[in-house]
């Protein structure tokens, strides 16, 4: 047998539920209004009175994005000082560094034939930087290296122009694409005949 609830209690339960519903509705409206207020403040701060238009704080990709001083971006590599010791490739936990070398005739050491990093595998851990005895590889500040194919993520630093590979110029997709057409390394390292 069901116990009947007096009508006064039912009314008071409905009243409590209705009050809770209105509180939730007001809280939702206030939360949305606060979020919109933050958005409007940021939107207003991007207004440039000289141009009479709204602009971005960072005009990326036209201008490079600012990164932290110890940012670990795409590598920089000095092909002129590399002794092809393979220490960076051995330290890499994901095996994304490929080094080609030949023994120098009538001399000692190795000549670098290619130094390739596969950025589809690289996790930017910087473990390759520490073991290098001649400090020819380090983490650069380049944020983006976009390409339309996986081939664009394979960067052979020995075929890039030295200014681009070492970091005096920007490592960019155009330079990487142009380096794919270069047949021989631009420099063989310190043990090579031109070094």
């Amino acid at each position: 047998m069901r116990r009947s609830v007096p009508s006064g209690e039912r009314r008071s339960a409905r009243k409590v539920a209705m009050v809770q519903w209105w509180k939730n509705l007001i809280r939702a409206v206030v939360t949305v209004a606060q979020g919109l207020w933050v958005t409007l403040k940021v939107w207003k701060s991007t207004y440039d009175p000289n141009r009479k238009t709204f602009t971005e704080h960072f005009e990326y990709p036209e201008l490079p994005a600012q990164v932290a001083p110890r940012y670990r971006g795409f590598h920089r590599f000095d092909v002129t000082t590399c002794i092809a010791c393979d220490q960076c490739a051995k330290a890499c936990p994901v095996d994304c560094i490929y080094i080609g070398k030949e023994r120098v005739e009538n001399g000692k050491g190795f000549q670098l034939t290619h130094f390739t990093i596969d950025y589809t595998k690289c996790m930017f851990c910087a473990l390759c930087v520490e073991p290098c005895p001649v400090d020819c590889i380090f983490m650069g500040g380049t944020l983006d290296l976009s390409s339309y194919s996986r081939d664009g993520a394979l960067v052979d630093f020995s075929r890039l122009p030295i200014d681009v590979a070492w970091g005096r110029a920007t490592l960019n997709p155009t330079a990487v694409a142009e380096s794919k057409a270069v047949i021989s390394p631009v420099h063989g390292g310190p043990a090579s005949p031109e070094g």
Side-chain angles (χ1 to χ4, degrees):
M1 187 165 160
R2 284 180 53 185
R3 181 177 162 251
S4 68
V5 178
S7 64
E9 286 182 27
R10 265 189 269 159
R11 264 191 240 127
S12 111
R14 281 191 207 143
K15 187 176 181 183
V16 169
M18 192 58 123
V19 168
Q20 187 63 38
W21 183 82
W22 278 106
K23 283 182 181 178
N24 288 342
L25 181 66
I26 291 169
R27 184 183 305 143
V29 169
V30 167
T31 303
V32 169
Q34 287 172 340
L36 285 174
W37 177 249
V38 170
T39 303
L40 286 173
K41 280 195 326 191
V42 172
W43 183 61
K44 187 175 180 270
S45 72
T46 63
Y47 183 73
D48 185 2
N50 296 332
R51 294 177 59 194
K52 294 188 169 104
T53 186
F54 293 93
T55 60
E56 301 91 9
H57 284 291
F58 302 107
E59 295 183 15
Y60 179 80
E62 287 81 16
L63 299 174
Q66 296 177 357
V67 294
R70 296 188 62 169
Y71 175 75
R72 287 186 267 174
F74 289 90
H75 298 81
R76 294 299 189 197
F77 179 71
D78 186 8
V79 70
T80 62
T81 60
C82 180
I83 58 175
C85 66
D86 281 345
Q87 293 299 315
C88 54
K90 290 175 187 171
C92 181
V94 292
D95 198 28
C96 68
I97 300 175
Y98 310 106
I99 300 175
K101 59 186 177 182
E102 296 174 352
R103 186 161 292 282
V104 176
E105 295 177 21
N106 302 328
K108 68 178 200 175
F110 293 99
Q111 180 177 352
L112 197 65
T113 57
H114 72 270
F115 185 92
T116 305
I117 298 179
D118 184 356
Y119 285 111
T120 60
K121 293 181 181 179
C122 183
M123 59 184 194
F124 300 96
C125 62
L127 291 175
C128 57
V129 176
E130 300 302 321
C132 183
V134 292
D135 292 330
C136 65
I137 185 171
F138 65 95
M139 303 305 285
T142 304
L143 174 72
D144 184 21
L145 187 61
S146 300
S147 62
Y148 289 108
S149 68
R150 289 186 182 172
D151 185 48
L154 291 168
V155 179
D156 188 351
F157 285 89
S158 66
R159 282 160 176 66
L160 284 172
I162 292 176
D163 283 350
V164 173
W166 185 231
R168 290 185 284 271
T170 305
L171 180 64
N172 56 55
T174 306
V176 172
E178 288 173 357
S179 73
K180 305 275 184 208
V182 176
I183 295 170
S184 61
V186 293
H187 196 284
S192 68
E194 67 262 358

